[in-house]
Amino acid sequence: MAKILGLDLGTNSIGWAIRDTEIDGNQILDKGVRIFSEGVKSEKGIESSRAAERTAYRSARKIKYRRKLRKYETLKVLSENGMCPLSIQEVEDWKKSGFKNYPMNPEFLKWLRTSEDENVNPYFFRDKASRQKVSLYELGRAFYHIAQRHGFLSNRLDQSAEGILEEHCPKIEAIVEDLNSYNEILENLREYFFETGILDDNEKSGYVKDLDEGDKKLVSLYKSIQAIIKKNDTDFEKGKAEITERLNKKDVLGKVKGKIKDISQAMTDGGFKTLGQYFFSLYNKGKIRNQYTSREEHYLEEFIIICKVQGIDSINENEKLSEKKFDGLAKDLYKAIFFQRPLKSQKGLIGKCSFETSKSRCAISHPDFEEYRMWTYLNTIKIGTQSEKSLRFLTQEEKLKLVPKFYRKNDFNFEVLAKELVEKGASFGFYKSSKKNDYFYWFNYKPTDSVSACQVSASLKNVIGEDWKTKTFNYKTLNAKKEAVSKSVDYKDLWHLLSVATSDVYLYEYAKDKLGFDDKSAKAFSKIKLKKDFASLSLAAISKILPYIKEGLLYSHAVFMANIENIVDENIWKDKK
């Protein structure tokens, strides 16, 4: 007797039935359902992951712990320099208790206390310290309050930009900044917006049809810049200033940066030199909470002004990197107040290679992966004419002709490649097209199909030159022991630097000082952004497969050949005969 078990799997139930195929008529012997609790949390009809709630609490605990670490580092420096009524031992004891036993020294509690009647509060000390000399305890109270707040710090590795204009406007501003005529601005912007994919490939003055909402915003921005240039055609400096103002309008910023800009503007309008002065003026009005502030634009600038007023020197105004700007006591205070524990490495979360399971997957932004992806795609393209009965793969010469088209900063449509392959004036389309014309080309891809560009490779090629894959940079630097050593880097090292660096300023300084780039190239290098995603293969596997892919082998054949060296006997493999 043959019996079949049938299961119906749901999100919170399993239905089952047993069927006997040898019975005539109704073959169902038994049936039922098991209901269990859902794997999601539901409140007011809104579902959410149960893990999300645990993650939120864990994130809150980590944020609180990091704040305690910053307070500890700040109190340690303040106590060492007589700016806080605590001894070093009391500060250390607080840390040893796991930050559970907060110092209860009466003098310290008095130092922290505020008085509404006397209008004495942390903002009072910050305002006073930025205007005149104060006592060490008052200065320490101002610094401690800054450490408690900290402010928002923009990170170049953060990919969660709130809008497409927020992403592009700083890049456009960097382009316009160094140009000296309207013709140069128009030419460079036309090229830039062409690379974003909003301008037509044939006529760079025409716009691509069927743009999404983000690209439509870019079109509007491009048109507004053209209008500004047309309006100020006889006054270049005025037009350039107006373009800069347009790029920094509030509507192009995200929520956080928009609020930060509002505060900066209010400080300028009110004549306040520091954030502490501005907030002290608002304190009695109760309008300080829920404000977005910038770490560098607001808190770091206030810290520098307070140090100058209090005679804490050793600040190099010409140094752009905050980490190198300070020395002596100013450096100790900066490192403590703006202390930030390095994030834990996430390398362990990256999946393993499909072929080499001991190696992690390669980032899709790596130039070698971009080349691998490009050649894999080229090997799948087929072409044919109306008179031919079947499509054929591209020749090596045709593939090499298409390679330059991949080096751009945005993805593009297959139509761009097709135009390079067909004869001038010829038509082309999808293979299933019913068009009857000997002068018509068929492809196995639609003209509107999206093609991934080699974006990072194009950016490196732009700043380094045509020899970007073979060029090496040699420079002198100091190792961990402060000893002078020589270092040599290539495109792989530069990619790794871009993937881990958190500051555009650091990358700009590195490009100028170490790589010898000019100002324009250094800025372009510092603005290169990498996508945070990973391929299915490791870099080692890609390196083995890529040579065969470039020879024209299909992916499956290239994978087979990539590891054949380890299958064939070594003597046979190395025998060139």
Side-chain angles (χ1 to χ4, degrees), residues 340-367:
Q340 186 154 337
R341 190 182 68 173
L343 296 174
K344 293 181 180 179
S345 172
Q346 304 298 311
K347 289 179 66 175
L349 301 180
I350 301 173
K352 298 301 181 181
C353 175
S354 303
F355 298 130
E356 301 189 3
T357 54
S358 63
K359 292 182 170 61
S360 298
R361 297 178 177 181
C362 175
I364 64 170
S365 61
H366 196 286

Side-chain angles (χ1 to χ4, degrees), residues 189-356:
L189 289 184
R190 192 176 295 118
E191 187 64 29
Y192 179 85
F193 282 104
F194 166 63
E195 290 178 349
T196 63
I198 69 168
L199 296 181
D200 187 76
D201 187 47
N202 283 337
E203 299 179 12
K204 294 184 180 179
S205 58
Y207 299 104
V208 174
K209 297 180 180 179
D210 301 322
L211 296 173
D212 58 28
E213 290 303 316
D215 287 338
K216 286 178 181 177
K217 290 182 180 180
L218 285 179
V219 170
S220 177
L221 176 64
Y222 184 47
K223 287 181 177 179
S224 66
I225 294 175
Q226 288 179 316
I228 291 171
I229 293 174
K230 186 176 181 180
K231 184 179 71 172
N232 300 284
D233 60 337
T234 58
D235 192 340
F236 175 72
E237 291 302 326
K238 181 181 178 182
K240 188 174 180 179
E242 197 170 327
I243 291 172
T244 302
E245 183 181 352
R246 173 65 181 86
L247 293 171
N248 287 279
K249 281 181 66 175
K250 184 180 176 181
D251 62 355
V252 307
L253 302 174
K255 179 182 178 182
V256 175
K257 292 185 179 179
K259 295 291 185 180
I260 289 173
K261 187 174 179 64
D262 287 344
I263 289 181
S264 299
Q265 187 61 48
M267 289 170 59
T268 301
D269 295 341
F272 300 105
K273 292 183 178 179
T274 69
L275 183 68
Q277 292 178 5
Y278 174 62
F279 278 172
F280 180 59
S281 71
L282 301 178
Y283 183 79
N284 291 326
K285 300 176 184 178
K287 296 181 179 180
I288 297 179
R289 292 293 181 184
N290 301 319
Q291 300 274 14
Y292 289 102
T293 54
S294 168
R295 185 176 307 176
E296 295 193 346
E297 184 180 348
H298 294 149
Y299 286 97
L300 185 57
E301 283 301 311
E302 180 176 352
F303 171 75
I304 293 172
I305 290 174
I306 290 176
C307 285
K308 288 180 179 178
V309 173
Q310 303 305 318
I312 302 175
D313 300 322
S314 305
I315 300 177
N316 184 0
E317 294 289 346
N318 297 322
E319 178 59 55
K320 294 183 179 180
L321 273 175
S322 301
E323 294 81 1
K324 298 181 179 180
K325 189 187 290 285
F326 307 101
D327 201 3
L329 177 58
K331 183 177 182 179
D332 293 338
L333 287 167
Y334 167 78
K335 291 175 66 176
I337 293 172
F338 298 95
F339 169 81
Q340 186 154 337
R341 190 182 68 173
L343 296 174
K344 293 181 180 179
S345 172
Q346 304 298 311
K347 289 179 66 175
L349 301 180
I350 301 173
K352 298 301 181 181
C353 175
S354 303
F355 298 130
E356 301 189 3

